[in-house]
Amino acid sequence: MILIEGTSKIAFEEGTLSELELTIYQKKQNSPIEYRYDSVYTLLFELYMRTQIAESAKELSKAGVYFADFKKTLCNPTYWHLTNQGRFQLNSGFAPQDAIRDIFTNGSSYAFECSMAVVVVLYKALLESIDPRQFDILFADLLLFDWHSNSKLHLIDRTYNEEAVIGDVLYFENPDFVPSVPWWKGENVVLIENDLFYGHGHGLGVTSGEEVIKVLNNNRMLGSTKSAFLTDRYVHPDFSYFAEFQHRLREKPIIAKVGDWIYVRKSWIFNQTC
């Protein structure tokens, strides 16, 4: 259930939300779990950014980036310094937004594993959702690695994957992976539609959860009977935090509160001008 100012009675004018945003909203609104927002604007920002996470995942799947373990990681040296730990450190004098966009436009110059792919997707979605100038300020010393090491994404841990919605990051675990081939331990994925995920590892791309499990099961110890599975844990950025840095609006949504009801009229338009 979604609660804003203590009420779950929220009505959107037809066309206010995109089809994908409406799908996300309805699942959270119909949930037995309470999702609290300080304003309609914060909710709208989350819905928008979640769609951008899905879109960025699809874009990265087509960008030509190669899969590689940490030892074989590659990046464009124009924008990044590759550290001994396989991390990408932004070169001095370059804008973070330009470096992130380069991964999507010059993908063949990059190679990394699935957890870094998730981080790249989240940064690109943020770039499309907040003011680009604020993006450059927030991530002036940008360092790309796995999502465990990117505290600036303000990731929130959740459990019970039945509650996951589009834009959440989940993990498929392969308990009987071969220790000498650690990249088959599991797969970090982004949920982009109902039971449709983006996984960068092992050439998965955009595929179903069933296919992810099938691929992992084909790469486990000989004789194993333990299937790969989708874990309960999932994460997403703190949308409320990043909502403070959203694009300036040409026109704010028209919001009216009548009794217990909050009515929202269509006028949520982003100004893409930097």
Side-chain angles (χ1 to χ4, degrees):
M1 177 188 302
I2 290 174
L3 292 174
I4 299 175
E5 298 179 17
T7 182
S8 63
K9 297 178 180 179
I10 310 161
F12 291 96
E13 179 185 53
E14 185 177 355
T16 301
L17 302 179
S18 69
E19 184 176 345
L20 202 57
E21 288 171 333
L22 185 59
T23 297
I24 299 167
Y25 171 77
Q26 288 176 336
K27 181 168 182 179
K28 299 192 80 168
Q29 181 69 306
N30 294 331
S31 169
I33 295 176
E34 291 185 355
Y35 295 97
R36 295 179 177 270
Y37 297 86
D38 59 4
S39 72
V40 172
Y41 301 112
T42 302
L43 170 61
L44 289 172
F45 176 81
E46 175 178 331
L47 296 176
Y48 180 79
M49 185 173 165
R50 284 185 177 278
T51 66
Q52 292 306 303
I53 293 173
E55 185 60 32
S56 296
K58 293 176 185 177
E59 289 180 19
L60 190 60
S61 73
K62 302 174 183 176
V65 177
Y66 298 100
F67 171 77
D69 62 20
F70 292 126
K71 295 180 181 178
K72 297 180 180 179
T73 299
L74 296 174
C75 58
N76 184 350
T78 300
Y79 290 100
W80 306 97
H81 166 67
L82 181 61
T83 72
N84 293 333
Q85 295 80 31
R87 305 182 181 198
F88 297 177
Q89 177 67 65
L90 180 68
N91 288 335
S92 177
F94 288 90
Q97 62 174 293
D98 293 336
I100 290 295
R101 292 193 193 282
D102 185 67
I103 300 173
F104 289 79
T105 59
N106 193 23
S108 60
S109 296
Y110 293 85
F112 43 71
E113 49 77 64
C114 63
S115 61
M116 186 182 286
V118 164
V119 167
V120 169
V121 166
L122 294 178
Y123 276 119
K124 177 62 159 52
L126 266 171
L127 175 56
E128 300 301 334
S129 303
I130 68 175
D131 189 317
R133 295 170 300 181
Q134 289 289 345
F135 183 90
D136 286 343
I137 294 170
L138 288 170
F139 307 113
D141 56 348
L142 187 59
L143 177 69
L144 298 184
F145 195 46
D146 61 22
W147 52 270
H148 299 283
S149 306
N150 278 264
S151 60
K152 288 188 176 182
L153 285 172
H154 294 266
L155 296 178
I156 294 175
D157 273 289
R158 296 196 182 275
T159 54
Y160 190 52
N161 61 44
E162 291 295 324
E163 284 292 310
V165 295
I166 293 164
D168 283 328
V169 176
L170 300 96
Y171 185 70
F172 286 86
E173 183 175 336
N174 189 14
D176 276 352
F177 73 99
V178 179
S180 61
V181 194
W183 48 87
W184 288 112
K185 183 178 180 179
E187 183 73 22
N188 294 281
V189 297
V190 177
L191 180 60
I192 60 175
E193 288 182 31
N194 183 33
D195 194 40
L196 196 62
F197 303 89
Y198 164 65
H200 176 66
H202 324 300
L204 282 168
V206 176
T207 189
S208 66
E210 181 181 1
E211 183 62 23
V212 175
I213 290 174
K214 179 181 177 182
V215 170
L216 291 176
N217 282 346
N218 286 337
N219 291 274
R220 52 185 171 166
M221 290 188 289
L222 187 65
S224 170
T225 58
K226 292 183 180 178
S227 175
F229 61 94
L230 179 63
T231 65
D232 279 338
R233 184 190 180 198
Y234 63 99
V235 301
H236 60 72
D238 184 345
F239 298 106
S240 296
Y241 172 81
F242 288 112
E244 299 178 17
F245 308 103
Q246 62 191 273
H247 283 292
R248 290 172 293 131
L249 299 175
R250 290 199 303 267
E251 189 177 0
K252 290 186 177 181
I254 300 170
I255 301 169
K257 188 170 184 181
V258 182
D260 292 336
W261 281 90
I262 296 176
Y263 295 90
V264 186
R265 291 187 59 189
K266 181 181 180 182
S267 53
W268 183 249
I269 303 173
F270 283 112
N271 184 348
Q272 299 290 345
T273 303
C274 297

